[in-house]
Amino acid sequence: MKKYIVAFNFKNNIVEDDYFNQLVNTEITTIICPTFLQIDVAKQNLKTNYFLGAQNVQLNSKKAFTGEISASNLSKYNVQYCIVGHSERRNYLNESAKQIASKITELLNCNITPILCVGETEQLNDEDSINFINKQVLDIKLNLPCDCFDKICIAYEPVFSIGSGKPCKNEHINKISSFIKNNYNFSNILYGGSVNENNCEKLLNVQHLDGFLVGGASLNFNSVNKILNLLSNSNNFSFK
Ligand code: PGA
C-alpha cells in the first residue's frame, strides 16, 4: 500500500486565480508548483491539505542576488517542496550538479523538500539509461555536504518524454526506478514525462513509483482532479 505523491509543475504558465479553489479535496500528497507570481494567490486559496512547491531557489542565500528568491523567503510563504535539476534548467541554463547540490543544501537548511529531477536526454537501452541516471545521481551526491538522500524526493523524467504526449514504457520506468530504489535511499521516487489523466492509471502499475511529476496536464484543473481521484481510487493507495 502506498501514500502517493503528485507534484504539479506549472512551469512559466499563469492560471486563472480561481483555479486553486476548484481543486478537489484529496488524501493524496499533492504539491502545487506555480510560478513565483502565483505563490501568494495559491497560498491563500489552496485547500488545507495541499502543499505549495516552488520551481527554483536561490543558489547561495548569503549573497545579495537580484532576481532570485532564497529558501528562507520561500519558507515564509509556506513553500514546503521545490523542484531542482529540471532538464529545462540543466539544458537552457547549464545548471551544473554543483549548483543543483548547492540549491538542495539551501532548501534542506530551511526544511523544504527538494524534488530532484534526473533523466536521460535521448532514448537509450536500459543499461545505458541506468548508467546515465547513476552518474547524474552520483554527481549530486559528490557535491552534497551531507548524506541526506532520505530527505530528497527524486523524479525520473526521461527528457524525450517531457511534453511529447508519450510517457515512457512501464518496463523501462520499472528498470530505472528499481535501480534507484535498490541503490539509493531517496524518500520517494516519482515519474514525470507526459503524465495525464488518461495514462496515469497504467503508470501506477510500475512497482517502485510513489507518484508523478506532472507538467502540461497541471494547467487544467479538471485534469488535475481526475488524476487525484484516479490515484485515490487505486487499489494500492493507503492513507498512511
Ligand atoms: P510534461 O512535463 O508533463 O508536460 O511532460 C513534465 C515536466 O517537465 O516536469
Side-chain angles (χ1 to χ4, degrees):
M1 295 291 248
K2 290 184 184 177
K3 174 88 175 93
Y4 287 119
I5 296 189
V6 195
F8 293 95
N9 173 13
F10 293 11
K11 307 198 179 184
N12 54 347
N13 299 287
I14 300 283
V15 293
E16 297 289 329
D17 281 357
D18 77 345
Y19 169 105
F20 301 99
N21 51 32
Q22 306 277 357
L23 298 177
V24 285
N25 278 314
T26 181
E27 296 293 336
I28 304 288
T29 302
T30 308
I31 306 155
I32 300 291
C33 309
T35 69
F36 286 131
L37 296 172
Q38 290 195 301
I39 288 273
D40 197 35
V41 69
K43 175 172 165 269
Q44 287 173 40
N45 289 288
L46 280 173
K47 300 196 168 101
T48 47
N49 52 346
Y50 279 79
F51 295 91
L52 202 47
Q55 300 174 25
N56 187 31
V57 64
Q58 180 175 326
L59 207 50
N60 181 343
S61 60
K62 292 187 186 70
K63 287 199 173 116
F65 208 153
T66 301
E68 292 296 306
I69 298 186
S70 65
S72 62
N73 281 339
L74 290 178
S75 246
K76 287 180 193 149
Y77 276 75
N78 284 352
V79 169
Q80 284 173 276
Y81 290 82
C82 181
I83 299 168
V84 285
H86 193 281
S87 59
E88 287 152 9
R89 298 189 66 89
R90 289 182 193 254
N91 295 341
Y92 305 141
L93 299 172
N94 286 323
E95 271 195 3
S96 64
K98 193 168 172 215
Q99 290 172 323
I100 296 165
S102 156
K103 290 183 177 191
I104 290 175
T105 309
E106 293 289 328
L107 293 167
L108 292 177
N109 286 340
C110 290
N111 292 322
I112 298 173
T113 303
I115 302 174
L116 167 65
C117 301
V118 295
E120 68 273 40
T121 41
E122 56 181 330
Q123 216 142 5
L124 302 169
N125 64 39
D126 290 341
E127 198 189 326
D128 289 345
S129 299
I130 285 173
N131 290 337
F132 189 103
I133 304 299
N134 196 32
K135 180 167 181 336
Q136 278 187 326
V137 173
L138 285 176
D139 283 348
I140 300 293
K141 193 179 165 103
L142 281 175
N143 284 288
L144 278 177
C146 54
D147 187 3
C148 44
F149 277 179
D150 59 333
K151 297 190 176 65
I152 300 174
C153 176
I154 191 166
Y156 169 54
E157 297 208 303
V159 179
F160 50 88
S161 278
I162 294 176
S164 68
K166 289 188 199 134
C168 209
K169 294 230 160 60
N170 276 22
E171 296 72 32
H172 185 75
I173 305 172
N174 192 29
K175 291 257 163 60
I176 305 293
S177 52
S178 302
F179 171 81
I180 295 173
K181 181 91 185 170
N182 293 333
N183 290 278
Y184 298 103
N185 61 338
F186 289 103
S187 62
N188 302 94
I189 306 176
L190 311 184
Y191 165 78
S194 296
V195 177
N196 61 32
E197 67 275 28
N198 302 317
N199 57 34
C200 67
E201 259 186 307
K202 184 172 171 213
L203 289 163
L204 286 180
N205 293 326
V206 178
Q207 193 194 351
H208 293 302
L209 281 190
D210 299 303
F212 305 113
L213 175 54
V214 182
S218 306
L219 301 177
N220 180 331
F221 62 78
N222 287 316
S223 302
V224 171
N225 289 342
K226 278 185 196 155
I227 292 172
L228 294 174
N229 287 335
L230 284 164
L231 262 62
S232 3
N233 291 333
S234 119
N235 292 336
N236 295 328
F237 177 66
S238 119
F239 288 95
K240 302 223 173 63

